[in-house]
Amino acid sequence: MRRSKQDAEKTRLKVIDAALTLFSRNGYSNTTLAMIAAEAGYSRGPIYWHFKNKDDLYQAVLAMSQEPLEQLVTELEDTKAGPLRAIELFIRRWLDLLVEDVWFRQSFEILLNKTELTEQMVPTLERERSLTLSIVDALSACFAKAQQSGLIPADDSPRSLALLVYSQLMGVTQSWLFAPDLFDLDAEKDFFIQRMLSSCGMD
């Protein structure tokens, strides 16, 4: 029984991996379950065993591929480091994941460049907006602590600073995914981090 559960989970992960690859390459609308099954090396039977339909699989793909980002938010909220160090680590880890984690990178590719915003995408949009809000809230809390401790000027609201960091991260992410030959993200990473920190008064 234990082995069959392990095998079932391996199958599920293989289907998700195949779906991630095809959704990021072809887009949601241009990817069929038959294509995903072929990519994974299965018939469509194992897909329907784990997922109700393509929409259900799509939700599972994004939920799993964005777990690292959700973990980053949790770490930012629970950090024992100082608030400025926590913000720097959040920014750095986000960019590291883009370079190093294929699933993380593909999840952004799907969301930003390969998904049509149709009625079917409403649950996805609601989930992503909720995640965005949690990121901004966690960053805002860190900036508020930094201002209260006199570590940065209190000229701007913590939320405005959080929105600035989030917008800069999303801008770098989308620009790189849209035109990867435009710049080497790994090589430019430290430059982006420093400029993001400087823009928020973190010299």
Side-chain angles (χ1 to χ4, degrees):
M1 176 66 69
R2 184 175 156 196
R3 176 163 186 165
S4 67
K5 286 183 178 179
Q6 290 176 339
D7 289 344
E9 181 61 14
K10 285 180 181 178
T11 299
R12 178 176 175 274
L13 291 176
K14 196 168 181 181
V15 169
I16 287 175
D17 187 41
L20 256 170
T21 298
L22 293 180
F23 285 148
S24 65
R25 182 191 305 160
N26 304 325
Y28 173 82
S29 297
N30 294 325
T31 299
T32 66
L33 289 180
M35 292 165 65
I36 293 169
E39 179 77 15
Y42 300 125
S43 67
R44 277 183 289 183
I47 295 181
Y48 285 117
W49 177 261
H50 292 283
F51 308 100
K52 292 182 293 186
N53 48 42
K54 189 171 77 165
D55 289 345
D56 189 39
L57 174 55
Y58 181 83
Q59 295 295 328
V61 162
L62 290 181
M64 178 162 287
S65 60
Q66 291 200 322
E67 280 180 3
L69 182 54
E70 293 170 349
Q71 182 61 35
L72 279 185
V73 177
T74 300
E75 291 171 4
L76 186 62
E77 293 170 335
D78 300 338
T79 183
K80 303 302 180 186
L84 298 187
R85 178 61 176 159
I87 293 167
E88 180 181 356
L89 288 173
F90 178 84
I91 295 170
R92 182 174 295 280
R93 188 62 183 135
W94 176 310
L95 298 180
D96 283 343
L97 283 167
L98 273 179
V99 173
E100 300 166 5
D101 190 313
V102 174
W103 279 22
F104 184 79
R105 185 166 62 250
Q106 286 176 328
S107 72
F108 275 108
E109 180 69 42
I110 293 167
L111 279 169
L112 297 176
N113 298 328
K114 296 296 178 67
T115 297
E116 301 79 6
L117 301 182
T118 64
E119 187 175 343
Q120 292 173 300
M121 295 299 107
V122 169
T124 298
L125 292 174
E126 290 177 350
R127 180 183 179 280
E128 293 308 312
R129 285 168 181 153
S130 176
L131 179 55
T132 296
L133 182 61
S134 70
I135 293 170
V136 173
D137 285 346
L139 286 170
S140 295
C142 285
F143 278 117
K145 289 178 184 176
Q147 288 181 339
Q148 291 163 7
S149 302
L151 298 174
I152 58 173
D155 301 334
D156 301 304
S157 74
R159 190 168 188 80
S160 293
L161 294 173
L163 289 168
L164 178 61
V165 169
Y166 175 76
S167 298
Q168 289 173 327
L169 279 169
M170 287 300 292
V172 170
T173 300
Q174 183 157 19
S175 296
W176 186 57
L177 292 175
F178 182 71
D181 293 335
L182 189 62
F183 59 94
D184 183 337
L185 179 56
D186 197 26
E188 298 289 347
K189 192 167 48 182
D190 288 336
F191 169 79
F192 288 133
I193 293 168
Q194 187 55 48
R195 289 300 181 271
M196 287 183 203
L197 297 177
S198 296
S199 71
C200 298
M202 299 166 57
D203 296 323

